[in-house]
Amino acid sequence: MANIVAVTACPTGIAHTFMAAEALRRAAQAAGHTLRVETQGSVGTQDALSAAEIAAADAVILAADVNVDEGRFAGKIIIRASTREVIADAAALIARAATGSPAPAPTPAPATASTGGSLHVVGITACPTGIAHTFMAAEGLEGGAKKLGHTVKIETQGSVGAGNALTPDDIARADLVVIAADTNVDLSRFTGKRVYVTGTKPAIRDGAAVVTTALAQATVHGASASGGADASSPDFVAQAAAAKASKNAGVPSFYKHLMTGVSHMLPFVVAGGLLIALAFAIGSFQFGDQGIFIYEDKYAGTLGNTLFKIGANGAFGLFVPVLAGYIAFSIADRPGLAPGMIGGFLAGLTGSGFLGGIIAGFLAGYIVLWLTRSIRLPRTLEGLKPTLLLPLLGTLAVGLLMMFVIGQPVAAALTGLTTWLQGLGNTSAGLLGALLGAMMAFDMGGPINKAAYTFSTGLLGAKVYGPIAAVMAAGMTPPLALFLATLVFKNRFTKDEVEAGKAAGVLGVSFITEGAIPFAARDPLRVIPALMAGSAAAGAISMAAGCLLRAPHGGIFVLFIPNAVTNLPMYVVAILAGTVVSTVMLGILKKPLGADGLPLVKGVPQAVNAAD
């Protein structure tokens, strides 16, 4: 009698996955062999194989139509087949596995921090916008791993898709997997690998420290703390990964779920906003001052009116459903996507806008997750859960709650918020602008920054354009101020920082606040307050002057589009004033440096202490 383990998986993770598993079970039972099957389906990994079960197995059957991590089966006899081959003749595969040669001796354990030696480190970096933090974290991990003598490959999940993508061979050879992400990352590829999850900021600050910590704290993904999977809880792996991610990243899972939705929403908002701005520009060119009303029916059929409909009705019409859908996706994986998107669409129907969409996304995610854990079906009917039961029951529950319980109260709250924002006087508007501006500079792409940006972009659907104008002005000033400060107060910065200032200037005009992070990381107690002061000034001037922005991104480049910005002269003044305030503050707070790069006190070099 042979002891066999198997993994089944198909692209959809539904019918073929479970049919192949059942065929193998019947064939093994008929032949008198023991068999344990792990299914990798659309509702996650079920009946995950433990390390002990794999070690005791005489052979492994991989019945998969997609890539499956084979690293945890090193040293085992592996029988590979498609799910169709298994369904057609499972008995033949069981016979091949049972008559295979004895398992070879175990392969030596990979080197660790304690044993020494070079490791192969792989990882993924990702941030909500998929721009600066993603690539800066990747650079930090690569530099840190190489500094420690390891080989490394990092996949960046950025705004244009995956860059430097990890191949199955990369993952199979990996001794350690490091995930530095501020959004949820699919870990299914790394089952059986030692995985460590953290945020992007630790990787940016000190990549070598992250790799060192990962070597000490990484855990095997897909195994419980006791070394075996909990078969009674098919979503155990997802729960453990989420808990680990939250603990290591230092931010609540709530934020990660929200930022996953925001990261997928942003392309719709940016595309819609820029198309609307272009519509106004074309309308102004065709109809002069009346072009600002290009959305009216009397201009139907014109290019400007058509672009406005594409942006406002198309892109803006989708951004709340996408936001809600991917919040739910982050919580409950693919089964949450449809209920979340439908809930977001209903938020639009009820007038509850982006606030209703956020609520719908979380409701859909947690309801579907609860249904996934609660509904138990015979193995032969498991395929019905992701295709029929979860979308139906999840959508039914979320839809009824949105239509009868949540939609109207949230719509009233959003209407009240919109009316309040539109009725703000100059002083009150200036205070709100200062608050949003300070938030943008506080952590430059972190949770506080993203909260201000998400709040402002969400209001675009309600045609409230003041906050986003303040946010973009305030987000541009930190890197612009550092660029200017490295020119005016060059003796306050190292040679490397002076060079980095040039790049910060380019990022600043492009509204990429993260260009200021390297400076803030080196001297946070002086740089961050200086940047917050300038950003608060920029936001206050923008809001108090009544500046409006219809394109939620693009930096200085959207300023050249006619009617994209209301009160353009004062908007330019806001950006310049904020930049100057931060530049002066940097000159005051930062100390001149000596030839050795240390601050000078009365002309004498002083070591930088912890407070510095």
Side-chain angles (χ1 to χ4, degrees):
M1 182 179 72
N3 184 14
I4 305 168
V5 297
V7 176
T8 64
C10 68
T12 60
I14 307 175
H16 280 73
T17 296
F18 298 103
M19 291 170 66
E22 189 61 26
L24 287 172
R25 289 190 188 96
R26 291 180 179 178
Q29 184 178 12
H33 304 301
T34 61
L35 176 73
R36 272 276 287 114
V37 184
E38 172 185 306
T39 55
Q40 296 183 5
S42 56
V43 293
T45 299
Q46 299 195 39
D47 297 330
L49 297 171
S50 70
E53 288 172 326
I54 295 172
D58 298 315
V60 179
I61 296 176
L62 296 183
D65 305 322
V66 294
N67 288 331
V68 173
D69 177 27
E70 299 184 14
R72 53 182 174 150
F73 304 119
K76 293 293 179 182
I77 298 171
I78 299 178
I79 310 298
R80 299 175 181 83
S82 67
T83 56
R84 290 182 180 274
E85 290 173 325
V86 172
I87 295 168
D89 193 355
L93 287 168
I94 292 293
R96 286 172 55 193
T99 57
S101 58
T107 56
T112 66
S114 59
T115 61
S118 175
L119 303 177
H120 182 54
V121 180
V122 301
I124 294 175
T125 61
C127 69
T129 56
I131 307 175
H133 276 70
T134 298
F135 299 100
M136 293 168 70
E139 185 177 349
L141 289 179
E142 288 169 350
K146 290 176 182 177
K147 182 179 178 181
L148 296 172
H150 307 309
T151 60
V152 60
K153 182 175 181 180
I154 305 297
E155 175 181 310
T156 54
Q157 295 187 359
S159 55
V160 293
N164 199 31
L166 298 175
T167 66
D169 181 62
D170 293 327
I171 297 171
R173 293 190 300 113
D175 302 304
L176 177 69
V177 180
V178 180
I179 308 296
D182 300 324
T183 62
N184 278 348
V185 171
D186 180 15
L187 301 181
S188 60
R189 293 187 278 171
F190 307 116
T191 301
K193 292 293 180 180
R194 297 182 67 235
V195 178
Y196 176 77
V197 184
T198 186
T200 56
K201 283 196 173 182
I204 293 170
R205 283 196 300 265
D206 193 342
V210 169
V211 174
T212 301
T213 303
L215 287 170
Q217 298 184 10
T219 58
V220 177
H221 179 59
S224 67
S226 62
D230 182 358
S232 66
S233 178
D235 57 313
F236 175 87
V237 173
Q239 296 177 58
K244 181 73 174 176
S246 177
K247 175 183 176 183
N248 288 336
V251 295
S253 56
F254 173 90
Y255 172 75
K256 284 202 168 188
H257 299 321
L258 177 61
M259 287 301 102
T260 300
V262 169
S263 67
H264 287 86
M265 172 197 80
L266 283 180
F268 293 85
V269 178
V270 173
L274 291 174
L275 284 169
I276 290 171
L278 286 173
F280 287 132
I282 293 172
S284 298
F285 178 77
Q286 288 183 303
F287 306 107
D289 292 341
Q290 295 302 306
I292 195 69
F293 304 108
I294 195 66
Y295 53 84
E296 293 182 350
D297 290 340
K298 65 180 179 180
Y299 297 111
T302 65
L303 179 59
N305 183 269
T306 301
L307 290 178
F308 183 89
K309 288 179 179 178
I310 295 172
N313 301 338
F316 273 20
L318 284 172
F319 88 74
V320 173
V322 169
L323 170 66
Y326 279 95
I327 289 173
F329 174 84
S330 177
I331 298 168
D333 214 321
R334 280 186 290 175
L337 189 59
M341 283 195 169
I342 294 169
F345 179 80
L346 294 176
L349 288 184
T350 59
S352 54
F354 83 102
L355 293 177
I358 292 173
I359 294 172
F362 280 101
L363 275 176
Y366 286 115
I367 287 173
V368 171
L369 185 61
W370 177 79
L371 290 171
T372 302
R373 297 171 178 176
S374 301
I375 298 175
R376 301 296 182 188
L377 296 174
R379 297 185 186 279
T380 52
L381 299 178
E382 277 290 337
L384 294 177
K385 281 174 66 174
T387 56
L388 176 62
L389 294 180
L390 296 180
L392 172 63
L393 297 178
T395 300
L396 179 65
V398 174
L400 291 174
L401 286 171
M402 289 301 296
M403 296 301 291
F404 292 113
V405 179
I406 295 167
Q408 295 306 317
V410 175
L414 183 62
T415 300
L417 174 63
T418 302
T419 303
W420 175 72
L421 288 171
Q422 291 174 335
L424 284 175
N426 290 345
T427 302
S428 299
L431 290 174
L432 177 61
L435 175 62
L436 291 173
M439 291 173 68
M440 289 297 291
F442 177 74
D443 55 2
M444 290 160 282
I448 304 300
N449 171 287
K450 287 297 184 290
Y453 186 71
T454 302
F455 169 77
S456 303
T457 52
L459 290 170
L460 291 175
K463 298 182 180 179
V464 178
Y465 303 112
I468 190 61
V471 159
M472 190 165 89
M476 292 170 66
T477 58
L480 288 175
L482 284 161
F483 165 67
L484 184 58
T486 56
L487 298 179
V488 178
F489 302 109
K490 189 174 292 188
N491 64 341
R492 268 76 164 174
F493 300 91
T494 66
K495 290 183 179 179
D496 288 342
E497 286 178 325
V498 171
E499 287 301 313
K502 299 173 184 177
V506 175
L507 294 174
V509 298
S510 305
F511 181 35
I512 300 177
T513 316
E514 289 90 339
I517 288 176
F519 299 88
R522 180 180 175 85
D523 192 6
L525 297 184
R526 295 187 179 90
V527 172
I528 292 177
L531 299 182
M532 288 179 67
S535 290
I541 294 171
S542 174
M543 285 287 288
C547 298
L548 307 177
L549 177 67
R550 290 175 172 81
H553 215 292
I556 196 173
F557 305 104
V558 301
L559 306 187
F560 300 101
I561 301 176
N563 292 320
V565 180
T566 300
N567 200 357
L568 179 59
M570 283 306 298
Y571 194 61
V572 174
V573 168
I575 296 171
L576 294 178
T579 301
V580 171
V581 168
S582 286
T583 301
V584 172
M585 290 288 290
L586 287 166
I588 294 172
L589 295 178
K590 287 183 70 68
K591 301 174 183 177
L593 304 180
D596 56 0
L598 295 176
L600 292 174
V601 177
K602 295 183 179 180
V604 180
Q606 299 292 317
V608 180
N609 59 33
D612 289 331

